[in-house]
Amino acid sequence: MMNWFRSAAVALCACLLPWAAQCGDAYPNRPIRLVVGFAIGGPTDVIARVLANEMSTTLGQIVYVDNRVGASSMIAIREVKNAAPDGYTLLFSAPGLNVNPILLGAQAGFDPQKDFVPIGNAATLPMVVVTSPSSPLRSMADLIAKARAKPGSVSFASSGIGSPPHLAGELLGQQAGVKMLHVPYKGNGPALLDVMAGREDFMFYPVIGIADKFAAGRLKVLAVGTAKSLAQFPGVPTMAESGFPGFEETAPWVGMLAPAHTPGAIVRRLNAAMVAALAKPDVKAQLHKLGAQIVGDSPPEFAAYLRRDYDRWQGVARAAKVQLQME
């Protein structure tokens, strides 16, 4: 009789173990891979590594970053899309998750709303409107007045077609009702150099690395794309104060996602670990140094944010007739 009970207990445990693992009770029991579609040392990579280090301690398993660079981050996105939904392969992504399918359709190879489960938005990287220190433009009003006086005469640089600086520039033109000339570059760095030299009128640039150039008088900042003014740019108004509300929502985001059908218990545990990491003083300090604004929201909040982000850029891209070709 005892043997029968023992055998029954073993059989019951065997049946329950897969259920427990599915519910996340046994999760994690091995290292977690966090896939990043950008090069080592960039803002997305740096923030991912900071979080991975802290989450490793909280989860009791190593969380390591795997950089899968190429095709505007689509190589990384597709790889995670096709991974097992078990919480051991995650994506740390940015606006390209939404923008690439908007511009490429089925060619992108993934659907951001169907193929992934949002875990949490870690932070945003606000953009500022910059121009040459020698530019006669002193405000957003000056910029728009020049664009209205001679349509197409004002040029704005960006890091490439469909990039956040490009779409922000198109949104500005649509809100102001003016036509401006977009000049795409291969990266933010080359674009900024030509803006600083006065070869292009302005650009939206991520706040990272701009404060020192502003303080040294190497560039002029016309407005900041944040809800409140930024201490590192004294006297510079926000976009809302300049007559263009809502630009804080256009700030590039960096967040964590899992493949579709990942169990809710696993998603919630990962979110809790990420939020706990973002609350640590040393993490706050590191991200603040990058110019990032910490978010740390819930999975439902991030899902709603991503839907708004998608709808906004889809509208902007369609109105501007933005087209992107696969490389």
Side-chain angles (χ1 to χ4, degrees), residues 203-234:
M203 77 174 292
F204 282 85
Y205 193 90
V207 71
I208 301 168
I210 286 292
D212 291 344
K213 293 180 177 62
F214 173 78
R218 296 175 58 196
L219 55 76
K220 191 186 304 180
V221 178
L222 300 181
V224 297
T226 49
K228 298 180 180 179
S229 58
L230 298 176
Q232 58 265 50
F233 305 110

Side-chain angles (χ1 to χ4, degrees), residues 124-266:
T124 59
L125 299 164
M127 292 186 289
V128 296
V129 182
V130 301
T131 187
S132 166
S134 60
S135 171
L137 302 175
R138 296 183 178 276
S139 65
M140 293 301 296
D142 288 348
L143 190 158
I144 299 305
K146 180 180 178 181
R148 285 203 177 110
K150 191 175 180 182
S153 64
V154 171
S155 64
F156 69 97
S158 83
S159 53
I161 295 174
S163 65
H166 173 205
L167 295 180
E170 297 289 0
L171 177 60
L172 173 64
Q174 291 170 21
Q175 286 191 359
V178 297
K179 180 65 176 176
M180 299 182 290
L181 175 65
H182 172 231
V183 184
Y185 286 74
K186 291 185 177 180
N188 275 319
L192 181 63
L193 288 176
D194 272 8
V195 170
M196 291 168 63
R199 285 185 281 271
E200 311 298 348
D201 287 300
F202 78 99
M203 77 174 292
F204 282 85
Y205 193 90
V207 71
I208 301 168
I210 286 292
D212 291 344
K213 293 180 177 62
F214 173 78
R218 296 175 58 196
L219 55 76
K220 191 186 304 180
V221 178
L222 300 181
V224 297
T226 49
K228 298 180 180 179
S229 58
L230 298 176
Q232 58 265 50
F233 305 110
V236 177
T238 65
M239 287 292 290
E241 291 170 338
S242 301
F244 301 98
F247 265 80
E248 62 275 7
E249 281 275 307
T250 69
W253 54 268
V254 287
M256 194 176 297
L257 304 100
H261 310 300
T262 299
I266 290 177

Side-chain angles (χ1 to χ4, degrees), residues 16-311:
L16 288 176
L17 278 175
W19 176 84
Q22 185 180 12
C23 290
D25 294 340
Y27 175 86
N29 55 29
R30 55 189 170 89
I32 298 168
R33 183 166 70 114
L34 186 58
V35 182
V36 175
F38 301 92
I40 294 173
T44 305
D45 172 74
V46 171
I47 295 174
R49 290 177 186 276
V50 170
L51 290 179
N53 181 61
E54 297 295 338
M55 289 174 68
S56 296
T57 302
T58 302
L59 295 170
Q61 288 288 342
I62 293 173
V63 181
Y64 66 96
V65 171
D66 183 6
N67 299 86
R68 306 290 288 170
V69 182
S72 300
S73 77
M74 287 188 286
I75 289 175
I77 295 170
R78 292 169 187 156
E79 184 167 328
V80 176
K81 169 201 167 182
N82 294 323
D86 55 10
Y88 291 100
T89 301
L90 308 175
L91 176 68
F92 199 72
S93 197
L97 178 78
N98 276 334
V99 174
N100 286 324
I102 290 172
L103 301 184
L104 292 170
Q107 283 186 292
F110 62 91
D111 184 320
Q113 297 181 43
K114 294 180 180 178
D115 294 331
F116 299 94
V117 177
I119 294 171
N121 190 355
T124 59
L125 299 164
M127 292 186 289
V128 296
V129 182
V130 301
T131 187
S132 166
S134 60
S135 171
L137 302 175
R138 296 183 178 276
S139 65
M140 293 301 296
D142 288 348
L143 190 158
I144 299 305
K146 180 180 178 181
R148 285 203 177 110
K150 191 175 180 182
S153 64
V154 171
S155 64
F156 69 97
S158 83
S159 53
I161 295 174
S163 65
H166 173 205
L167 295 180
E170 297 289 0
L171 177 60
L172 173 64
Q174 291 170 21
Q175 286 191 359
V178 297
K179 180 65 176 176
M180 299 182 290
L181 175 65
H182 172 231
V183 184
Y185 286 74
K186 291 185 177 180
N188 275 319
L192 181 63
L193 288 176
D194 272 8
V195 170
M196 291 168 63
R199 285 185 281 271
E200 311 298 348
D201 287 300
F202 78 99
M203 77 174 292
F204 282 85
Y205 193 90
V207 71
I208 301 168
I210 286 292
D212 291 344
K213 293 180 177 62
F214 173 78
R218 296 175 58 196
L219 55 76
K220 191 186 304 180
V221 178
L222 300 181
V224 297
T226 49
K228 298 180 180 179
S229 58
L230 298 176
Q232 58 265 50
F233 305 110
V236 177
T238 65
M239 287 292 290
E241 291 170 338
S242 301
F244 301 98
F247 265 80
E248 62 275 7
E249 281 275 307
T250 69
W253 54 268
V254 287
M256 194 176 297
L257 304 100
H261 310 300
T262 299
I266 290 177
V267 171
R268 290 189 292 273
R269 181 150 193 204
L270 288 166
N271 174 264
M274 188 190 80
V275 171
L278 291 169
K280 293 186 176 182
D282 58 332
V283 172
K284 287 183 176 181
Q286 291 179 73
L287 268 58
H288 178 74
K289 189 174 181 180
L290 282 174
Q293 296 201 339
I294 293 173
V295 179
D297 57 6
S298 68
E301 288 170 333
F302 190 27
Y305 173 89
L306 289 174
R307 286 193 295 271
R308 293 195 307 272
D309 186 68
Y310 184 94
D311 291 344

